[in-house]
Amino acid sequence: MQILLVEDDAELAAALAQALRARGYAVNHVAQGRLALTAVRTEAPDIVVLDLGLPDMDGLQVLRGIRAHERHLPVLVLTARNSVDDLVEGLDRGADDYLPKPFAMSELLARLRVLERRLGTSTSSEIHVGNVSLDTARLEVRCDGVTVELPRREYMLLKALMENAGKVLSRASLESRLYGWGEEVASNALEVHVHHLRRKLGTQFIQTVRGVGYRIPRP
Ligand code: CA
């Protein structure tokens, strides 16, 4: 799950990014509205966490810009301006949820889980491909009914490929889901994760599409 965090308060942004990454989210952080609009188009985040008080643009303008292209992308608005009018305006312009500052991290995480649940194309939190099932609510993976323990990035990689079973996902797209911006990524990191997943789930489960990326074929 990739989160675009739009927040100009560097200290708060760092704390949020750290907490979100600890929960297995990939986080891209930008501090300006214009950069947020670019990132929404180029990075295809799954959820946007948007601070309304930004230095270069009004956050509600950013929200409108996002909605012009992405009608279904979930946006969780953060703001210190917790008047009822702002709340109503934010929701009217297409925010999916609204969290007044200051907030508890646990509350932000709970609201993100709600948005995440709404995201799924089906209401079920289980994805099945062949003999492998992945439960996104419990973060649990089973192969032939037996639980397989996966570290966070292997889980995220598997989830991305299973959600898109049958399609090829490019290296760049997979790396951007697994790592945040500015994070140092070893050139063979993706291969290593794939290698580990194949060892645990069967060598044929993930296919390499040479020069492009990876795919889990639909059985
Ligand atoms: Ca701000």
Side-chain angles (χ1 to χ4, degrees):
M1 189 63 44
Q2 181 154 318
I3 295 186
L4 174 65
L5 173 63
V6 189
E7 170 60 73
D8 62 313
D9 178 333
E11 212 172 299
L12 177 60
L16 288 175
Q18 194 186 19
L20 293 171
R21 287 190 182 121
R23 290 302 179 116
Y25 294 103
V27 180
N28 289 334
H29 168 235
V30 295
Q32 289 178 32
R34 269 178 305 113
L35 297 178
L37 290 176
T38 307
V40 162
R41 285 198 306 271
T42 59
E43 301 296 318
D46 299 300
I47 297 178
V48 179
V49 176
L50 173 67
D51 175 35
L52 286 194
L54 295 169
D56 62 326
M57 275 173 84
D58 186 287
L60 289 175
Q61 225 180 315
V62 177
L63 182 56
R64 198 163 40 185
I66 293 173
R67 279 288 165 263
H69 301 284
E70 299 285 346
R71 276 194 296 155
H72 303 296
L73 176 62
V75 179
L76 171 61
V77 160
L78 305 178
T79 183
R81 295 180 289 176
N82 52 359
S83 76
V84 173
D85 286 351
D86 281 335
L87 167 63
V88 170
E89 200 181 347
L91 293 174
D92 278 351
R93 292 209 194 179
D96 295 277
D97 200 0
Y98 181 96
L99 196 54
K101 290 178 181 177
F103 52 83
M105 193 61 74
S106 55
E107 182 163 14
L108 175 67
L109 291 169
R111 305 240 188 154
L112 285 174
R113 282 196 296 273
V114 172
L115 292 180
E116 214 176 333
R117 275 200 295 275
R118 262 195 245 160
L119 267 180
T121 43
S122 67
T123 48
S124 158
S125 62
E126 285 218 20
I127 309 169
H128 298 269
V129 181
N131 57 345
V132 178
S133 68
L134 186 145
D135 185 328
T136 58
R138 296 202 176 90
L139 308 181
E140 212 173 70
V141 174
R142 286 165 177 271
C143 184
D144 290 322
V146 179
T147 304
V148 181
E149 295 295 335
L150 296 182
R152 179 167 69 94
R153 289 214 166 94
E154 283 174 38
Y155 173 84
M156 288 163 71
L157 173 60
L158 180 66
K159 182 167 173 242
L161 288 167
M162 285 180 70
E163 280 171 340
N164 294 284
K167 294 185 209 153
V168 182
L169 294 185
S170 71
R171 293 184 55 91
S173 136
L174 288 169
E175 280 174 355
S176 79
R177 285 165 204 250
L178 264 54
Y179 300 92
W181 282 356
E183 244 182 289
E184 203 63 48
V185 188
S187 60
N188 67 340
L190 202 53
E191 278 80 2
V192 173
H193 294 317
V194 169
H195 171 77
H196 288 150
L197 284 173
R198 282 180 176 146
R199 216 182 50 207
K200 293 167 188 173
L201 304 173
T203 50
Q204 302 303 313
F205 193 63
I206 298 174
Q207 290 179 344
T208 302
V209 181
R210 212 164 285 281
V212 185
Y214 295 97
R215 163 178 60 201
I216 290 179
R218 282 216 166 274

